Amino acid sequence: MTDGYDCYQNALAERVNGILKMEYLLRKPKDVAQARKMVAESVEIYNQMRPHTALKYKTPDEVHRAF
């Protein structure tokens, strides 16, 4: 999950994976196609709709657009 063997990057990736599993992927998909759709929807919600406390209650997309 990391580039350059930075252990902090892996921790961030694991945190995001945990959030996706615990908050969005609450039911078991019927097949791989449904799993892909569920993950895509979850990532969209996470980036575009879910406010993050570390970002002063802004979404990641809002923060990236500000740059």
Side-chain angles (χ1 to χ4, degrees):
M1 298 298 272
T2 66
D3 59 347
Y5 303 101
D6 183 357
C7 62
Y8 294 107
Q9 288 181 358
N10 191 50
L12 177 60
E14 291 297 328
R15 174 75 177 131
V16 170
N17 288 339
I19 289 169
L20 288 173
K21 290 176 188 175
M22 297 303 293
E23 292 185 20
Y24 300 108
L25 304 176
L26 301 176
R27 57 187 165 82
K28 189 173 180 176
K30 292 184 283 187
D31 54 23
V32 173
Q34 186 182 29
R36 286 187 176 133
K37 183 179 177 186
M38 289 170 67
V39 169
E41 289 171 356
S42 299
V43 170
E44 184 176 335
I45 291 168
Y46 183 85
N47 286 328
Q48 297 178 4
M49 301 169 77
R50 183 182 186 271
H52 296 251
T53 55
L55 302 176
K56 299 182 181 175
Y57 294 97
K58 294 181 181 175
T59 66
D61 280 351
E62 288 174 319
V63 173
H64 285 285
R65 280 186 266 128
F67 288 107

